Amino acid sequence: MRVLVIGNGGREHALAWKLAQGERVSQVFVAPGNGGTARDERLETVPIGMTDVKALADFAVEQKITLTVVGPEAALAAGVVDEFRSRGLRIFGPTKAAAQLESSKAFAKDFMKRHGIPTAAYETFSDAAVAHAYVDGRGAPIVIKADGLAAGKGVVVAMTLAEAHEAITWILEDNKLGVTHNEGGARVVIEDFLEGEEASFIVVCDGKQVVSLATSQDHKRLLDGDVGPNTGGMGAYSPAPVVTPNVHAKVMHEIIQPTIAGMAKDGLPFTGFLYAGLMIDEHGQPRTVEFNTRMGDPETQPIMMRLKSDLFELMMHATDGTLDQVELQWDRRVALGVVLAAEGYPLNPRKGDAITGLPDDEEEAMVFHAGTAMQDGKLVTSGGRVLCVTALGESVRLAAQRAYELCPSIQFAGRQYRSDIGHRAIKR
Ligand code: AMP
Ligand code: GLY
């Protein structure tokens, strides 16, 4: 069987790596892929852009692709699933309409309110004066979010009113971010600040049923100690001990199941990866910070390292609507991934720096590629998050130790990485 993975990040490298281990899988293509998928003998890189949905579907027909798996939100928002399905091609992901759970914060918040799914109280604004007045009335801390896809950079957690006003001006008046929601124009969602610890809770959905993947925790801030600007994610590990069995049951019962049922009821049955970004308070009550309609990056890298079951078979069940027949097997060890980012990330990452010192792949330690490219036979940086060094270990501390042992030898000019990935779990 031939498989196509759409995307170019570390998430897609990890998905493709795992799919290639499938018993029935003969070949895995990645479009457009990256330097890592190009170097990997088990994978084949295809130069088609991830939002070029017609060309991707043409490729799937020509190459007799059995299954296509979508990595990034941009491809979903471009309607890749709708295009494939209209041509009778098997693809795993949500339709463009269902992907609004991620692509429009306002859609997601209205959906959660309508279906009683726990989340922070919020209002939506397109008029800056009204937004400024709302913030004054509500007080700080408060959270200001651009409505639309902003790759994790459209959220300001304002600890003071001054920061909140500045964020409104930035997003709504100057529209510096250039993010627009589905009907065009800038819009902000302003919501109450939630206290607690975050976790990533990702499930596979076939429209009616779900199978949960192992839990994980991301590190969104650039710098050690969770300070500095928000990023796409600087490291992750799995499982996340903050998701106790009790919290897990609550999340399934109060968030995941009502979401799947609500989407079906609203005429948008959800197929694909559903990622609930959670805030879990000190009483173990989970609330939804955001939905993503795809796997997390870098969460995918440690999750795939721990998955023992055949990912291809899981995706086949998910696209057949037979997830009730699936029980996943996990490595009981911890997996932890450290992102090596380029100089200037997240605002202005520098590209084109030579990468040296990559270790060989091992079953227990993998370097997944993201912003890398092959240039004249050499591996160079080509994006903000460059690599994710991921290792298994008997504990979070040991997985971290193993991953961090590998980092110093991997060199490129301006390389930056956090030295405390996993710190919340190590403190416990
Ligand atoms: P989002 O893109 O919505 O996931 O937001 C990015 C990050 O901002 C989240 O991972 C949280 O760390 C933080 N954040 C977002 N919304 C809230 C909230 N209501 N309360 C506290 N932190 C938040
Ligand atoms: N790591 C966070 C995300 O994928 O959105």
Side-chain angles (χ1 to χ4, degrees):
M1 306 266 188
R2 294 148 78 80
V3 180
L4 171 63
V5 175
I6 300 174
N8 65 356
R11 165 182 51 212
E12 289 77 16
H13 188 193
L15 288 172
W17 168 80
K18 188 69 201 167
L19 283 162
Q21 295 168 19
E23 278 209 11
R24 293 198 287 157
V25 175
S26 57
Q27 202 159 16
V28 178
F29 298 90
V30 190
N34 57 39
T37 62
R39 276 161 38 120
D40 193 323
E41 285 149 23
R42 294 157 300 187
L43 309 175
E44 201 155 320
T45 300
V46 182
I48 303 177
M50 59 198 175
T51 57
D52 196 350
V53 300
K54 291 217 164 13
L56 289 166
D58 289 343
F59 177 83
V61 172
E62 281 158 25
Q63 294 291 328
K64 299 194 169 54
I65 300 293
T66 302
L67 166 77
T68 299
V69 179
V70 189
E73 58 274 29
L76 299 168
V80 71
V81 171
D82 309 70
E83 176 70 21
F84 272 59
R85 286 207 189 143
S86 75
R87 292 162 70 166
L89 298 165
R90 184 192 288 261
I91 187 164
F92 183 66
T95 60
K96 183 176 176 173
Q100 286 180 97
L101 269 184
E102 171 168 6
S103 66
S104 169
K105 299 242 183 236
F107 175 94
K109 295 297 283 191
D110 291 346
F111 174 86
M112 286 190 265
K113 194 189 250 179
R114 204 162 58 242
H115 294 284
I117 295 160
T119 188
Y122 73 99
E123 296 282 344
T124 305
F125 303 90
S126 45
D127 182 323
V130 184
H132 285 298
Y134 176 79
V135 159
D136 281 331
R138 205 83 191 164
I142 194 156
V143 182
I144 319 290
K145 302 185 174 186
D147 184 22
L149 293 177
K153 293 166 214 150
V155 174
V156 176
V157 180
M159 299 315 286
T160 64
L161 277 178
E163 285 174 73
H165 289 301
E166 197 188 328
I168 293 169
T169 305
W170 180 60
I171 297 169
L172 219 44
E173 293 170 61
D174 305 347
N175 197 7
K176 282 270 166 55
L177 210 53
V179 172
T180 56
H181 60 83
N182 293 346
E183 286 128 51
R187 195 156 69 177
V188 289
V189 171
I190 302 183
E191 62 179 50
D192 289 355
F193 175 76
L194 295 174
E195 202 94 50
E197 183 170 339
E198 287 184 79
S200 304
F201 197 103
I202 307 174
V203 298
V204 174
C205 313
D206 67 7
K208 297 190 299 286
Q209 309 165 101
V210 301
V211 171
S212 55
L213 298 180
T215 60
S216 56
Q217 189 173 61
D218 186 14
H219 299 62
K220 292 241 169 73
R221 303 296 192 102
L222 181 68
L223 305 172
D224 282 3
D226 297 316
V227 297
N230 257 316
T231 70
M234 294 299 290
Y237 65 95
S238 169
V242 64
V243 185
T244 60
N246 192 23
V247 171
H248 196 285
K250 267 184 193 270
V251 176
M252 289 303 288
H253 185 69
E254 296 174 18
I255 297 173
I256 301 297
Q257 278 149 4
T259 300
I260 299 308
M263 289 297 280
K265 191 162 160 234
D266 291 351
L268 303 172
F270 193 92
T271 51
F273 294 109
L274 178 68
Y275 164 156
L278 304 175
M279 189 71 83
I280 300 157
D281 74 13
E282 54 181 353
H283 308 293
Q285 177 62 47
R287 291 188 180 77
T288 313
V289 174
E290 62 165 348
F291 282 121
N292 294 313
T293 58
R294 50 170 176 82
M295 284 293 285
D297 191 339
E299 291 94 325
T300 306
Q301 293 84 318
I303 290 173
M304 287 302 128
M305 290 278 287
R306 292 189 59 223
L307 180 63
K308 286 183 154 175
S309 306
D310 189 318
L311 179 62
F312 174 77
E313 302 303 337
L314 171 63
M315 301 282 88
M316 293 300 278
H317 278 294
T319 44
D320 278 336
T322 54
L323 280 180
D324 51 325
Q325 296 171 21
V326 172
E327 198 175 324
L328 296 178
Q329 303 296 322
W330 298 96
D331 195 313
R332 57 176 181 77
R333 288 173 294 177
V334 172
L336 182 142
V338 179
V339 169
L340 308 186
E343 178 164 314
Y345 180 73
L347 278 183
N348 228 331
R350 193 174 68 198
K351 298 179 183 175
D353 291 308
I355 303 168
T356 58
L358 280 175
D360 290 337
D361 291 350
E362 283 174 41
E363 205 192 313
E364 300 190 343
M366 279 290 302
V367 179
F368 293 110
H369 289 234
T372 71
M374 292 302 289
Q375 215 173 65
D376 308 322
K378 287 210 184 76
L379 191 70
V380 297
T381 63
S382 69
R385 291 187 293 172
V386 178
L387 300 161
C388 183
V389 182
T390 314
L392 287 163
E394 292 293 334
S395 64
V396 179
R397 192 185 295 277
L398 290 171
Q401 199 178 345
R402 181 85 184 93
Y404 277 116
E405 271 166 19
L406 295 169
C407 293
S409 68
I410 306 170
Q411 298 273 352
F412 52 91
R415 178 200 63 182
Q416 47 171 338
Y417 59 92
R418 280 181 62 160
S419 68
D420 65 347
I421 301 303
H423 70 95
R424 282 177 206 279
I426 289 171
K427 266 205 307 263
R428 268 162 191 273

